[in-house]
Amino acid sequence: MLLALVSCAGHRAPSSSLKQPPSIRLNHHTVSRGDTLYSIAWRYGKDFRQLAAINGIKHPYSIYPGQRLKLSGDVPLQTASKPSVITKKSVVKQAATKKVIPAKTKKSLTESFTRQRPSTKHAGAIHWRWPASGQVISKFRPGDPLRKGVDIAGEKGESVSAAADGTVIYAGSALRGYGKLLIVKHSEVYLSAYAHNHRLLVKEGSKVKAGQRIAELGSSGTDRDKLHFEIRKNGQPVDPLTYLP
């Protein structure tokens, strides 16, 4: 009897957790039905561009069930082009057509750099707005896997709006702990997410405008009606309250 009790104590059922990603550090992810490159990058806190580069996946980032993706590593080097054969004839021809370019003065180099350097003022500026009208009941906390954004209270069916102009890159419920989820791409740097919705009103690939109704607030994947809202910068969670007006 004592041995049986010890055996049972050593094989307790694991407790459920909404932690994203799993606490065990993984090196690979096997693609399941419903996964997209964006949702996988979101799950593991990766920049989707880096994840694509590591796995040699080009735009539009198509993946398939059963595919094994590396979550870290070096970007594969591109295959070098075949060197051209140098002949005496080609050398003579190159020498005959080579033009002598006068050296630029310090002043001309400075002027050229000033003209070519793009202005950073208002470059890629995103005008954020609140995605829901309720009270904030949970705030962002750096390093806490359960507080990667803010929770906004509300009632089932209330409007969830796009926080800025963008394109819907994920619409589904495959990400554990997020319920019915929308992810919107606003630029190559910024993404936003809207979780625990009752109903999604837009599909992947849809273009949305700031303030547009994109979902109905709900409690999918959680214990009460609320909107969980996140902003990611280069794949990393940032405090939405520092961006929202």
Side-chain angles (χ1 to χ4, degrees), residues 123-151:
I126 298 174
H127 302 288
W128 299 94
R129 59 180 294 163
W130 283 85
S133 58
Q135 180 182 0
V136 175
I137 55 176
S138 179
K139 295 183 179 180
F140 173 85
R141 180 180 293 171
D144 188 335
L146 298 180
R147 301 181 73 171
K148 295 180 179 179
V150 295
D151 289 348

Side-chain angles (χ1 to χ4, degrees), residues 11-167:
H11 294 82
R12 293 177 182 173
S15 58
S16 59
S17 171
L18 298 182
K19 192 171 183 179
Q20 292 286 345
S23 56
I24 300 175
R25 196 170 188 82
L26 301 176
N27 295 319
H28 294 83
H29 175 89
T30 302
V31 178
S32 299
R33 182 168 180 161
D35 280 347
T36 68
L37 186 79
Y38 296 104
S39 68
I40 295 169
W42 189 277
R43 172 177 170 80
Y44 295 99
K46 304 289 184 181
D47 186 324
F48 69 91
R49 296 165 298 178
Q50 181 187 25
L51 187 62
I54 291 171
N55 290 279
I57 301 173
K58 297 182 179 180
H59 189 271
Y61 310 128
S62 298
I63 57 178
Y64 54 88
Q67 184 177 1
R68 198 162 183 253
L69 300 181
K70 293 184 293 184
L71 299 177
S72 60
D74 297 326
V75 177
L77 296 175
Q78 294 182 350
T79 305
S81 57
K82 185 178 180 180
S84 56
V85 179
I86 301 176
T87 63
K88 182 176 180 181
K89 184 177 180 181
S90 64
V91 171
V92 173
K93 184 177 180 181
Q94 183 180 7
T97 57
K98 186 176 181 180
K99 295 182 181 179
V100 178
I101 302 175
K104 291 186 178 181
T105 63
K106 184 176 181 181
K107 181 178 179 182
S108 65
L109 285 171
T110 304
E111 290 174 349
S112 175
F113 177 74
T114 303
R115 287 196 302 269
Q116 293 178 12
R117 183 174 56 189
S119 171
T120 56
K121 187 177 181 180
H122 304 305
I126 298 174
H127 302 288
W128 299 94
R129 59 180 294 163
W130 283 85
S133 58
Q135 180 182 0
V136 175
I137 55 176
S138 179
K139 295 183 179 180
F140 173 85
R141 180 180 293 171
D144 188 335
L146 298 180
R147 301 181 73 171
K148 295 180 179 179
V150 295
D151 289 348
I152 304 172
E155 299 294 332
K156 181 178 178 180
E158 288 182 349
S159 293
V160 173
S161 304
D165 295 352
T167 303

Side-chain angles (χ1 to χ4, degrees), residues 210-236:
Q212 178 181 336
R213 191 168 186 252
I214 57 176
E216 292 179 358
L217 191 144
S219 59
S220 59
T222 189
D223 56 356
R224 62 166 292 175
D225 291 329
K226 64 181 179 181
L227 170 68
H228 176 74
F229 176 69
E230 294 184 22
I231 295 177
R232 299 275 178 106
K233 181 180 181 181
N234 292 323
Q236 295 301 308

